[in-house]
Amino acid sequence: MSLDRLAEVCWPGTVVIAVGDVNDVALYRTLRAAGVADYLVKPVTSEGFQNALDAAFRPNPTLGHEKAAPRGDSVAVVGARGGVGSTMVATTLAWLFAEEQKRRTVLIDLDLHGGTTGLALDSEPGRGLSEALANPDRIDSLFLSSAAVRVAERLSLLASEEPFDSLVEMLPGGLELLLKEARKDFEQVVVDVPRSGPDLLRRVAGLATVVIVVTDFSLAGLRDAGRILNFAREAGPEAKLLLVGNRAGISKNGGVPRADIEKTLDISFSAIIPEDAAAVARAINVGKPLTKVAGRSKAVVAMRGLASSFGPQGRPRPS
C-alpha cells in the first residue's frame, strides 16, 4: 500500500490528509485505520481543507475519557408559514450566540435543496451536510469539523445546495447521530428546519432542547403556528417550546392582535420582532448577518433580547 511506503519516510507525528475521487465508507475507514487524519472527496474547497487542517491539529480527548459536557444545547427553528422569516431568526440567533455570547456555535440548514443560510452568511456550503446524512458511519468529530464551513471565529455552517432534480439519500439514524455529535463538539447548535419537512421536524423536535416556532400576525399564521406547536409538543415532549412573532407591524390593519394569538394558542410570545424590510433586504443583498448591517435596528434589538434569554446552559430562563 502506498501509505505504508509513505509512513517509512515520514517523521513520527506527521499529519496526513488524503484527497481522492471515491466517496466510500470502507475506504475512509481503511485510511483512518492506517493513521490518516482525514479523507476529503474532490472537489475540495479551501474552507473544507482549512477545516480539515484545524481538526487535525486539534487535541483529541484521551481514550477512556468523555468530552466535557457542552455548555449549550440544540435549538430548532421552524416557520409557521413560508415567508415569516424563520431563516432570518435562525441565522441571527446563531450569529448572536457565536459573536456576542462567545459560544462555539454551528448552524445546520436542513433545507438541502433551497436553503438560504449560505447566502445570508456569504458562504459556499458545498455538500457537507448531504454527505453526512448519506454516510452516517463516517460521522464523528473529525468528519463534522471538515464538513462544516467556518463562517466566523466561533460560528460554523453545515449545509448543502443540492440540484433540485437530485434525490438526497438520508439513511436511518443519520440525522440523530449528526445532532448528537454536534452537541458534543459545539456549545450551541441551531437547526433551521424547513416547514415542508414534517418528518424532519418530528425527528429534530425529539432531540432538541428548544423548539422555536416563528409566525407572523396573520390568521393563516395563527392557524399553522398552533398546528406546528401541537405537532412539536407530541414529537418532543421534553423540548421547551417558544413562540416568536416576526414582521410585527407589516399589516396596515395590525393583523391578529397579540393577546388573541396568545389566548388561542395558550402560549405567550417569547419575542416580538418588528418589521424592518429595508434592513433585512440590505443584509440579504450583501450576504451579511442582520446584526452587522443594522446592529441598532428594532428587529436586532428584539433578536438580541431573545438570544440573551438563553441562560449559561444554553436554555431559556424560566419566565
Side-chain angles (χ1 to χ4, degrees):
M1 188 177 181
S2 300
L3 284 176
D4 295 330
R5 295 195 298 272
L6 178 63
E8 295 175 358
V9 297
C10 285
W11 288 96
T14 301
V15 174
V16 177
I17 296 177
V19 179
D21 299 304
V22 181
N23 187 2
D24 182 74
V25 175
L27 174 61
Y28 175 78
R29 288 175 172 172
T30 300
L31 293 174
R32 292 280 287 160
V36 173
D38 199 1
Y39 173 65
L40 305 178
V41 180
K42 298 178 182 178
V44 180
T45 64
S46 58
E47 291 86 358
F49 188 69
Q50 182 61 55
N51 290 335
L53 285 176
D54 293 341
F57 287 98
R58 188 180 301 136
N60 292 321
T62 303
L63 186 63
H65 295 274
E66 295 290 337
K67 291 181 180 180
R71 289 174 291 174
D73 268 298
S74 53
V75 182
V77 183
V78 60
R81 293 183 61 78
V84 298
S86 57
T87 293
M88 184 277 292
V89 172
T91 304
T92 307
L93 264 183
W95 183 269
L96 290 170
F97 286 146
E99 295 304 296
E100 295 194 3
Q101 298 185 9
K102 309 302 181 184
R103 299 176 183 173
R104 290 189 64 250
T105 303
V106 60
L107 173 61
I108 302 175
D109 189 345
L110 291 181
D111 189 343
L112 303 182
H113 293 88
T116 57
T117 53
L119 293 175
L121 297 172
D122 193 23
S123 298
E124 181 66 37
R127 301 187 67 252
L129 180 56
S130 59
E131 289 183 3
L133 296 176
N135 301 280
D137 289 342
R138 293 182 59 183
I139 297 176
D140 57 18
S141 176
L142 188 62
F143 180 76
L144 192 63
S145 297
S146 61
V149 176
R150 184 75 62 84
V151 176
E153 181 181 357
R154 296 179 179 84
L155 178 60
S156 297
L157 172 65
L158 192 56
S160 288
E161 288 184 358
E162 298 298 325
F164 280 105
D165 59 351
S166 68
L167 178 63
V168 179
E169 185 180 19
M170 191 177 297
L171 296 183
L175 178 59
E176 290 76 8
L177 182 59
L178 174 70
L179 294 179
K180 181 179 179 181
E181 194 65 38
R183 289 184 60 183
K184 291 180 181 179
D185 288 358
F186 293 91
E187 297 171 286
Q188 199 75 47
V189 179
V190 180
V191 186
D192 188 6
V193 186
R195 175 180 175 272
S196 58
D199 181 61
L200 289 177
L201 177 58
R202 179 185 294 108
R203 294 163 67 182
V204 173
L207 297 169
T209 11
V210 182
V211 176
I212 298 178
V213 179
V214 182
T215 183
D216 57 12
F217 293 83
S218 66
L219 185 60
L222 168 61
R223 180 198 66 179
D224 289 352
R227 296 168 66 189
I228 292 180
L229 283 168
N230 290 333
F231 183 81
R233 190 176 288 112
E234 294 177 0
E238 297 182 2
K240 174 72 174 179
L241 293 180
L242 301 182
L243 180 64
V244 170
N246 191 28
R247 311 197 69 182
I250 188 174
S251 176
K252 293 182 179 180
N253 60 12
V256 181
R258 169 180 180 171
D260 291 349
I261 295 178
E262 293 179 332
K263 181 179 179 180
T264 302
L265 301 181
D266 193 26
I267 185 174
S268 299
F269 280 104
S270 295
I272 300 292
I273 305 173
E275 169 70 2
D276 196 341
V280 172
R282 190 162 63 253
I284 293 174
N285 290 335
V286 299
K288 294 184 181 298
L290 188 60
T291 51
K292 295 192 69 174
V293 173
R296 297 183 179 181
S297 73
K298 293 181 179 180
V300 172
V301 171
M303 286 292 303
R304 190 172 282 120
L306 176 63
S308 64
S309 70
F310 286 71
Q313 299 302 319
R315 305 182 183 184
R317 299 182 179 93
S319 59

